[in-house]
Amino acid sequence: MKRVIKKSIVFLIMFVWMFSYGAFAISNDNINFQNLTIDDALSQSLAEYIYQDSNGYIWIGTNDGLNRCNGNEFKVYKNIKNDENSISNNMISSIVEDNEKNLWIGTDGGLNKMDLNTGNISRYLVSEEDKLYSNTVVDELMIDSKGRLWVCTINGLNLYDRKNDKFIKVAEEYLENKGLQAITEDNKGNIWVATRDGLFKYNYEEDTVKAFYHNEEDENTISENNVFSLYYSKGKYGLLQIKD
């Protein structure tokens, strides 16, 4: 399970922002900081993921719940036994918002969709069948340029079928049990996936996959096969591998 790029703080440091349609103000080029900890009602001081939604709220995923901050106070979301309208697991791994104002929350025990207008929560990838088919441990989420939701689990890559409200596992031959760790999209719509065993470029329309592996005898290969994270630059530099 990837726990590399987001769990580096003992307490959370955030900008003090003016909460108005998601904007924050910096006056006289001075940046002010405020420490937010469990003393401020944060559910846990170890932040795994930080995300700002289209309403301006800051969402903080921790190993003990999901926190929503409006600039003044926190609202904490946790799993509640026998309550289907609560998140499926308290260990938050990733957060993203789609084009229909749904907040998707990846956890160590399933995927959750929160309707930002109503607050209602739906759960996905939580059944025993899901555990066998794709695994319920979600590592990373991405909304691509066409508004599609991609879900990386430790056992494969899943694409959300919005019409039928279900997930389809893709590129199984290449990505099965690879331990997916990061995902990005390039300017041609290709989906790049970083895994514990190589880098992969997937073209959904053509259903083709190209694999990239380290070769000690070839300098024109990735530096190692365990790829933690990805960044695609729209400039001349293309795809970069970032290693911690």
Side-chain angles (χ1 to χ4, degrees):
M1 182 65 182
K2 179 186 65 176
R3 289 285 183 259
V4 179
I5 61 173
K6 308 181 190 77
K7 57 184 295 187
S8 59
I9 55 178
V10 177
F11 54 87
L12 180 67
I13 300 177
M14 294 181 62
F15 287 109
V16 176
W17 71 90
M18 182 179 295
F19 187 74
S20 174
Y21 300 99
F24 60 84
I26 300 176
S27 60
N28 299 323
D29 296 323
N30 293 320
I31 300 176
N32 297 316
F33 291 91
Q34 177 183 357
N35 298 333
L36 301 177
T37 70
I38 56 176
D39 294 331
D40 301 290
L42 186 67
S43 64
Q44 191 192 48
S45 57
L46 183 58
E48 290 279 354
Y49 213 97
I50 302 175
Y51 185 85
Q52 185 175 27
D53 69 21
S54 58
N55 294 323
Y57 289 110
I58 300 295
W59 296 84
I60 303 165
T62 75
N63 280 341
D64 190 27
L66 177 67
N67 302 258
R68 189 190 74 180
C69 185
N70 64 6
N72 297 306
E73 59 185 6
F74 287 105
K75 181 176 181 179
V76 178
Y77 297 82
K78 288 190 176 185
N79 173 258
I80 302 173
K81 188 177 181 179
N82 299 323
D83 185 355
E84 292 293 322
N85 197 40
S86 66
I87 60 176
S88 58
N89 188 280
N90 290 333
M91 295 185 68
I92 312 300
S93 60
S94 49
I95 306 168
V96 73
E97 182 183 354
D98 66 21
N99 298 333
E100 297 184 346
K101 295 189 77 66
N102 294 307
L103 193 73
W104 294 87
I105 304 120
T107 77
D108 275 15
L111 178 66
N112 303 266
K113 179 177 72 173
M114 180 187 295
D115 186 324
L116 291 177
N117 292 317
T118 65
N120 292 333
I121 296 173
S122 303
R123 298 177 181 179
Y124 299 82
L125 303 180
V126 293
S127 69
E128 292 300 319
E129 180 182 356
D130 290 327
K131 291 180 181 179
L132 296 173
Y133 178 63
S134 181
N135 202 286
T136 61
V137 180
V138 177
D139 250 359
E140 195 60 78
L141 304 171
M142 183 187 74
I143 302 293
D144 68 14
S145 59
K146 295 183 178 180
R148 299 176 297 194
L149 172 67
W150 298 85
V151 180
C152 295
T153 73
I154 60 174
N155 195 29
L157 179 62
N158 302 267
L159 176 63
Y160 180 52
D161 178 357
R162 183 177 298 171
K163 181 178 180 180
N164 296 300
D165 193 31
K166 67 177 184 178
F167 284 88
I168 302 169
K169 197 172 182 181
V170 299
E172 293 183 62
E173 179 182 351
Y174 292 88
L175 299 176
E176 185 83 11
N177 295 319
K178 287 289 187 178
L180 280 64
Q181 303 189 111
I183 185 170
T184 193
E185 179 186 18
D186 66 23
N187 62 347
K188 295 181 179 179
N190 295 305
I191 304 300
W192 292 80
V193 181
T195 79
R196 296 175 183 172
D197 186 25
L199 174 66
F200 298 85
K201 181 177 74 170
Y202 175 58
N203 186 296
Y204 175 74
E205 280 70 24
E206 299 176 1
D207 194 26
T208 57
V209 178
K210 184 174 182 180
F212 299 84
Y213 294 104
H214 172 65
N215 184 340
E216 292 183 355
E217 299 179 356
D218 186 355
E219 293 184 354
N220 192 34
T221 62
I222 59 177
S223 60
E224 65 175 77
N225 289 331
N226 190 6
V227 185
F228 290 112
S229 53
L230 298 171
Y231 173 73
Y232 180 76
S233 169
K234 295 182 180 180
K236 63 181 180 180
Y237 296 107
L239 188 74
L240 308 176
Q241 178 186 5
I242 303 172
K243 292 179 56 184
D244 288 353

